[in-house]
Amino acid sequence: METFVEAGDGYRLWVETAGEDDLPPLLLVMGAGASGLGWPDALVARLARHHRVIRYDHRDTGRSTRAFHERPYAVRDLAGDAVAVLDALSVDRAHVAGMSMGGYLVQLLLLDHPRRLLSAALWGTSVLGGARPDPEIRDEDLPGPDPRLLAMWEQMGQERDREAELEWRVEHWRLLNGDVLPFDAQEFGDLERRVAAHSGTWRQSSAHALADQSGMERGEELARVTVPTLVVDAPEDPITPPPHAARLARAIPSARLVTVPGLGHALGSAAVPPLADAILAHTRSVDADGRTS
């Protein structure tokens, strides 16, 4: 089912649900600049066997309102949008999963809206700034993004014709995928064509990169989180490589760290089964404990 949700300040968000309405809800929170279609249909279908799965387009992506330059916002406002989606769908509490920037937003939800979360799962992200020092994993020792990606990001937003833009995006996905799991260029090319058709444009928005990042230095507060949390270690992630996930898991007392071998920062078909299995094992254990009541 597709619908639109009012998120405030004139923003409307495209939302899609899958799975039976009486199943435990699972909200998927995507990364920066990414449409909800970034969640592969195959992953949504696997999760929807056990959950009412909710995916949506962030502001300035997909079919949601694009108005950043007229009505700018902060990254933290995107966490509020996730709550607005739950409110609009009359969902009191939900399992929530986020990757990349979505992982930062899930951390904000853990801090500001813990009563709305049955559980949390996050990967491809890092701990919020200001976290308590860790004697085993020092922040200064956390590696940055792969230099090959940094070089590609310098070209982001350059004027290219459609075929050149598609080629650039597929190559970007190739790097994000990592070097272990197989990479299918056709699969990611088809994804980009679907996203462009869904969005009605090939133009990449810079809104999330330009959004105010203040109010994100809240890592120290993660020490009080009690919501059952799964941190997925993606060993081939070229943006937040190990030990970023371990550092995040150590900052959240309720967190459990699970490695998905070969996982990078892309959700290709080879990544879907093990990632879905990890998420479902986590949500099932929470539901079995009776925490849905």
Side-chain angles (χ1 to χ4, degrees), residues 81-129:
D81 288 350
V83 177
V85 170
L86 296 180
D87 288 343
L89 298 181
S90 299
V91 174
D92 182 47
R93 302 177 70 196
H95 300 283
V96 180
M99 71 169 290
S100 198
M101 181 190 74
Y104 289 110
L105 300 181
V106 170
Q107 291 177 66
L108 293 179
L109 294 175
L110 285 167
L111 296 178
D112 295 333
H113 302 279
R115 295 184 181 276
R116 304 300 299 273
L117 274 58
L118 295 169
S119 76
L122 53 167
W123 65 96
T125 191
S126 190
V127 67
L128 289 172

Side-chain angles (χ1 to χ4, degrees), residues 57-290:
D57 291 340
H58 289 299
R59 304 179 186 195
D60 289 281
T61 73
R63 295 181 184 173
S64 293
T65 305
R66 296 169 180 255
F68 178 79
H69 295 292
E70 294 78 31
R71 298 190 295 279
Y73 47 82
V75 172
R76 63 182 181 276
D77 293 327
L78 300 178
D81 288 350
V83 177
V85 170
L86 296 180
D87 288 343
L89 298 181
S90 299
V91 174
D92 182 47
R93 302 177 70 196
H95 300 283
V96 180
M99 71 169 290
S100 198
M101 181 190 74
Y104 289 110
L105 300 181
V106 170
Q107 291 177 66
L108 293 179
L109 294 175
L110 285 167
L111 296 178
D112 295 333
H113 302 279
R115 295 184 181 276
R116 304 300 299 273
L117 274 58
L118 295 169
S119 76
L122 53 167
W123 65 96
T125 191
S126 190
V127 67
L128 289 172
R132 294 179 179 178
D134 189 308
E136 294 191 21
I137 305 175
R138 300 183 306 169
D139 289 353
E140 56 266 32
D141 293 333
L142 294 173
D146 187 316
R148 295 175 297 172
L149 272 177
L150 295 177
M152 284 206 75
W153 291 346
E154 291 180 356
Q155 305 166 8
M156 193 173 290
Q158 290 182 358
E159 289 294 330
R160 288 180 280 265
D161 63 37
R162 184 172 299 183
E163 287 306 310
E165 177 66 18
L166 178 60
E167 182 179 349
W168 186 93
R169 293 188 189 187
V170 170
E171 184 59 27
H172 187 231
W173 280 119
R174 187 188 304 276
L175 291 178
L176 291 174
N177 185 74
D179 300 322
V180 173
L181 294 182
F183 178 78
D184 185 341
Q186 183 66 48
E187 176 185 1
F188 283 94
D190 289 344
L191 168 64
E192 289 296 340
R193 293 184 186 94
R194 286 183 59 229
V195 169
H198 172 75
S199 306
T201 181
W202 279 86
R203 181 172 298 176
Q204 290 183 312
S205 172
S206 59
H208 297 165
L210 297 174
D212 178 9
Q213 298 190 28
S214 65
M216 303 289 286
E217 296 289 314
R218 301 181 59 190
E220 185 173 4
E221 299 173 51
L222 294 171
R224 61 176 170 81
V225 169
T226 60
V227 174
T229 299
L230 173 71
V231 178
V232 176
D233 183 13
E236 302 305 315
D237 185 347
I239 298 181
T240 52
H244 278 273
R247 174 70 179 93
L248 174 57
R250 289 172 62 85
I252 303 175
S254 61
R256 183 169 59 93
L257 182 67
V258 172
T259 298
V260 173
L263 183 63
H265 206 87
L267 300 179
S269 55
V272 165
L275 180 60
D277 289 347
I279 295 170
L280 290 173
H282 175 60
T283 59
R284 285 174 183 160
S285 68
V286 173
D287 291 341
D289 284 345

